[in-house]
Amino acid sequence: MRNEIKEFDAAPFDLTKILNSVQSFSLQDSPQEKVIVILGATASGKSALALNLAESLNTEIISADSMSVYKNFNIGTAKPTAQELKKIRHYLIDILEPNEKFSVAEFVKRASEIITEINLRGKIPIVVGGTGLYIQALIEGYKFHDNSKSQEKFFSDTGELKYNALVIGLTANRQKLYERINERTKKMFAAGLVEEVQQLLNAGVSPNSQAMLGIGYKETVEFLNGKATLEETVSKVAQATRNFAKRQLTWYRRMNYIKFFNVE
């Protein structure tokens, strides 16, 4: 039972209905700043949906991914392509050097400022990513003590959100999700993940840096150090990603304002 992913109460994925829902949301009057959020497990199609909606609304995207902030960490983070980044403006991608550290508090600070700036221009930003803590802290208005790791929410007792937020979640049944993860893992290695990691190490990035400890990178470092075969490494990355997906879905269960859609 511990390996099971409990199913969400999700509507069938229908892009037209989602677009209509987003368009209706965009026309609502609200005293709060507006934001559209797209979240879900790894490999559920979040980025593709965000790009589609951003183009439809003529708006911009804020990445809520703890790994995409790092420069030159591209393949293993499934970053948008250069063409996609050129087509739709993205924020909080490629903002840090690999040896720098990033935190949920820093994400909330930066993302909040960007949301305000985009709203002032009459647009609704789209926040997309799979780092549940980042997204929950942002839209529920967590505040952080300057010199500690502790945190508390402004609205923890009422469940009220800091923003007028439309939160869309993408999900799939366990078998389908695992198939998507396994396929994406193979594609990453085929696209040159090993070469990317070797280039990062050659450039002086520490294998113990926060960025290099991400899924896909730490396992590839072990492969380059001769501690596993390539086949074993691909399997390890897929397994680690599946475990991460379970943790993501568990986290989303505490966010009862998410409207889930099944991507099957």
Side-chain angles (χ1 to χ4, degrees), residues 38 55 76 112 130 205:
I38 301 173
E55 187 172 12
S112 298
V205 179

mmCIF file of all heavy atoms in Angstrom, residues 38 55 76 112 130 205:
data_model
loop_
_atom_site.group_PDB
_atom_site.id
_atom_site.type_symbol
_atom_site.label_atom_id
_atom_site.label_comp_id
_atom_site.label_asym_id
_atom_site.label_seq_id
_atom_site.Cartn_x
_atom_site.Cartn_y
_atom_site.Cartn_z
ATOM 1 N N ILE A 38 -0.258 26.615 -12.304
ATOM 2 C CA ILE A 38 -0.335 25.275 -12.894
ATOM 3 C C ILE A 38 0.702 24.408 -12.183
ATOM 4 O O ILE A 38 1.904 24.694 -12.226
ATOM 5 C CB ILE A 38 -0.065 25.300 -14.403
ATOM 6 C CG1 ILE A 38 -1.088 26.198 -15.105
ATOM 7 C CG2 ILE A 38 -0.120 23.885 -14.979
ATOM 8 C CD1 ILE A 38 -0.809 26.410 -16.574
ATOM 9 N N GLU A 55 0.144 32.077 -24.131
ATOM 10 C CA GLU A 55 -0.040 32.594 -25.482
ATOM 11 C C GLU A 55 -1.471 33.076 -25.675
ATOM 12 O O GLU A 55 -1.716 34.130 -26.271
ATOM 13 C CB GLU A 55 0.310 31.514 -26.502
ATOM 14 C CG GLU A 55 0.302 32.004 -27.928
ATOM 15 C CD GLU A 55 0.831 30.969 -28.910
ATOM 16 O OE1 GLU A 55 0.984 29.788 -28.515
ATOM 17 O OE2 GLU A 55 1.090 31.333 -30.067
ATOM 18 N N GLY A 76 18.448 18.109 -17.457
ATOM 19 C CA GLY A 76 17.942 17.411 -16.276
ATOM 20 C C GLY A 76 16.810 18.137 -15.577
ATOM 21 O O GLY A 76 16.082 17.535 -14.784
ATOM 22 N N SER A 112 6.688 37.297 -5.654
ATOM 23 C CA SER A 112 5.671 38.261 -5.242
ATOM 24 C C SER A 112 5.859 39.594 -5.950
ATOM 25 O O SER A 112 4.883 40.223 -6.402
ATOM 26 C CB SER A 112 5.729 38.476 -3.727
ATOM 27 O OG SER A 112 5.451 37.285 -3.030
ATOM 28 N N GLY A 130 6.653 22.376 -10.109
ATOM 29 C CA GLY A 130 6.306 21.212 -9.312
ATOM 30 C C GLY A 130 6.825 21.252 -7.889
ATOM 31 O O GLY A 130 6.702 20.273 -7.156
ATOM 32 N N VAL A 205 32.000 23.352 -11.402
ATOM 33 C CA VAL A 205 30.846 23.214 -10.511
ATOM 34 C C VAL A 205 31.102 22.055 -9.546
ATOM 35 O O VAL A 205 31.439 20.943 -9.968
ATOM 36 C CB VAL A 205 29.554 22.966 -11.311
ATOM 37 C CG1 VAL A 205 28.373 22.790 -10.359
ATOM 38 C CG2 VAL A 205 29.296 24.120 -12.269
#
